[in-house]
Amino acid sequence: MLMRTDPFREIDRLAEQFFGTTARPAVMHMDAYRDGDYFYAAFDLPGVDPDSIDCTVERNVLTVRAERRRPTDDKVELVAAERPMGIFTRQLFLGDTLDTDNLQAGYENGVLTLRIPVAERAKPRRVPVTAGGNGRKQIDA
């Protein structure tokens, strides 16, 4: 369902988690799982305005983009700035077994959840087995 093509992504993810900057914020964390005939991807995006979330699919590449901004009120004095701000992006390479034309996205409680149906051709199916002839064979001794 989910294909990983970059062997160094895990190292990059750890580095971004600990060394994220305002120019390149920490990566958005994700869980991915299959439940029956659907594949789900859930992204942690707390404090992100739903209008700033953009999901696109081109061929089999899903791109999620979101932006978290600091309050821009002139009366606000920033005392501590530990939460990553800026633009977050994440790309997933989806297998051919997913029906990306029917992808659904929802955002609730700071979590963006994508629901992608498994394509009909990828679902388990029963293959009929036929016996040659009438099933009986004569043995000459």
Side-chain angles (χ1 to χ4, degrees):
M1 296 300 140
L2 183 64
M3 298 182 304
R4 290 186 174 214
T5 58
D6 185 0
F8 299 104
R9 178 69 189 137
E10 193 64 25
I11 295 170
D12 289 343
R13 185 188 67 76
L14 290 171
E16 288 174 356
Q17 181 178 352
F18 292 107
F19 306 115
T21 65
T22 55
R24 184 174 171 108
V27 70
M28 65 176 83
H29 298 284
M30 173 196 74
D31 287 338
Y33 55 95
R34 180 176 174 172
D35 184 12
D37 292 340
Y38 293 93
F39 177 80
Y40 293 89
F43 299 89
D44 282 345
L45 296 171
V48 171
D49 182 8
D51 293 332
S52 77
I53 300 172
D54 184 35
C55 295
T56 59
V57 177
E58 184 176 347
R59 295 187 183 158
N60 286 2
V61 179
L62 168 72
T63 303
V64 178
R65 181 188 175 280
E67 183 175 6
R68 183 184 303 135
R69 297 181 184 147
R70 296 204 188 282
T72 57
D73 190 355
D74 292 338
K75 299 175 186 175
V76 174
E77 178 184 347
L78 188 62
V79 177
E82 296 179 354
R83 295 174 48 216
M85 298 289 160
I87 297 173
F88 300 83
T89 58
R90 182 83 184 247
Q91 286 190 323
L92 300 179
F93 296 94
L94 305 175
D96 292 332
T97 58
L98 297 176
D99 183 6
T100 57
D101 292 335
N102 294 310
L103 185 143
Q104 298 172 341
Y107 182 71
E108 186 175 342
N109 297 327
V111 178
L112 172 68
T113 303
L114 304 178
R115 180 180 179 210
I116 312 166
V118 174
E120 287 297 321
R121 67 182 178 277
K123 293 180 184 176
R125 63 191 175 281
R126 194 172 251 325
V127 177
V129 177
T130 58
N134 61 5
R136 296 184 191 181
K137 294 195 182 225
Q138 181 177 355
I139 300 175
D140 293 331

